[in-house]
Amino acid sequence: MLSPALTGMLLKGDRRAFMPAVFKPSLGKRSELFKSGLYSGLFLLACFVFADQAYSQVTQTFETPGTYTITVPVGVTTVTVKAWGGGGGGGHSDDGNGNDSAAGGGGGGGGFRTGTFSVSPGQTITIVVGAGGTGGGSDNDPGDDGGQSSATYNAVSIIAFGGGGGAAGVNNNTGGDGGSGGGGTGGTSGFSGGSGAQGGSGTNGSDEGGGGGGAAGDANAGAAASGQNGGSGGASNPGGGNGDGGDGGNSSSDGDPGGDYGGGGGGTGDDGGNSDDGGDGGDGAVEISWTGGTSPITFYSNGSFTIPTGVAEITVEAWGGGGGTRGMVHHGAAAAAAAHMHVVPLM
């Protein structure tokens, strides 16, 4: 409970009661003013309490390729990172001339990497989301490699590599090779994406593109493609396409795009001179999560607040009631104050 002296100031409207104060007992001792851990709200109009909630989790997911910066919130000391690399694009077929032509290979699936940073509030974390590789757009074009996704704090990075692009078909009856699956570095663990399949070959106009490799999930690796069929994404890949690789194109058709996050694109079927494209790889992603931070509780009348387990600091912002006169619109201005308190939870 509040001390008699402070309670008296509040009830009398003494401005000293609204002056900022800091209470700093050691974590193993109880404050003289806050022994019970149960604090009464005596403010007339409103009182905001911001507590460091040890068990509230916040998650932010970045899915659009690009670079981002986030600031570590107050009360947060550990951040968990999950990153998925972009999938490789599918390769194009050869030029379609002659009797022997070949289809493009499928792109490899992006890798997955996870880990934690020990952080300080107010510091920044840089996030990079890798784009899926573009599929081959004309004869003899390979697919582009998928971009890597990463999170960096104090020059330490957790990186998921993108899948390799599928090779173009070769005009000697040899299908393009599939791209390799991406891996990763940094952090504590991760999984690799599946490799893309080689493009088919044979009589001009009848060959199928290789399937794209599946992206890694946060529970296991992505599956390799088999023939024209794209590989499945690893378990717990939360992307919209589950990280599945795109199927290779049929004769004279495009390869299918890879699913998010990080599925490899399918290779172009032997186009027989037609203008078909390899499938684009799925984009990568980065997920950042933490526990703790500030969580506001608002009182608009008298009330009480019990310090939760694991909370060591609270910030109080208070506004007194405004004055007024009967029958008049004018009201007096309310006093405001803030205080930062080190506290001990009720045991």
Side-chain angles (χ1 to χ4, degrees), residues 219-239:
N220 57 22
S226 177
Q228 185 184 13
N229 299 317
S232 298
S236 299
N237 186 310

Side-chain angles (χ1 to χ4, degrees), residues 150-250:
S150 65
T152 302
Y153 176 78
N154 280 352
V156 177
S157 297
I158 297 171
I159 304 172
F161 297 136
V170 181
N171 191 23
N172 62 357
N173 205 30
T174 302
D177 291 333
S180 59
T185 187
T188 55
S189 62
F191 300 98
S192 296
S195 58
Q198 183 178 17
S201 59
T203 304
N204 185 25
S206 64
D207 306 319
E208 298 170 341
D218 61 13
N220 57 22
S226 177
Q228 185 184 13
N229 299 317
S232 298
S236 299
N237 186 310
N242 301 315
D244 292 343
D247 291 340
N250 294 315

Side-chain angles (χ1 to χ4, degrees), residues 11-161:
L11 294 177
K12 293 177 182 179
D14 193 324
R15 291 186 178 182
R16 289 176 296 173
F18 295 95
M19 296 297 288
V22 179
F23 302 89
K24 297 182 178 179
S26 65
L27 294 180
K29 299 179 181 179
R30 296 177 184 273
S31 166
E32 290 298 317
L33 295 178
F34 296 88
K35 288 183 178 180
S36 69
L38 184 64
Y39 307 149
S40 297
L42 299 177
F43 307 109
L44 297 177
L45 188 59
C47 177
F48 293 87
V49 179
F50 299 87
D52 181 1
Q53 299 282 9
Y55 300 109
S56 61
Q57 179 165 321
V58 177
T59 300
Q60 294 186 28
T61 303
F62 300 86
E63 300 176 318
T64 302
T67 300
Y68 307 86
T69 300
I70 63 173
T71 301
V72 178
V74 173
V76 175
T77 57
T78 302
V79 169
T80 299
V81 175
K82 295 182 178 182
W84 292 264
H92 201 279
S93 61
D94 67 0
D95 60 17
N97 295 322
N99 293 324
D100 295 326
S101 296
F112 169 81
R113 199 72 186 170
T114 187
T116 60
F117 293 133
S118 294
V119 298
S120 297
Q123 299 296 306
T124 58
I125 300 173
T126 301
I127 308 298
V128 177
V129 176
T134 302
S138 59
D139 291 340
N140 302 312
D141 279 351
D144 293 335
D145 294 341
Q148 67 181 33
S149 298
S150 65
T152 302
Y153 176 78
N154 280 352
V156 177
S157 297
I158 297 171
I159 304 172
F161 297 136

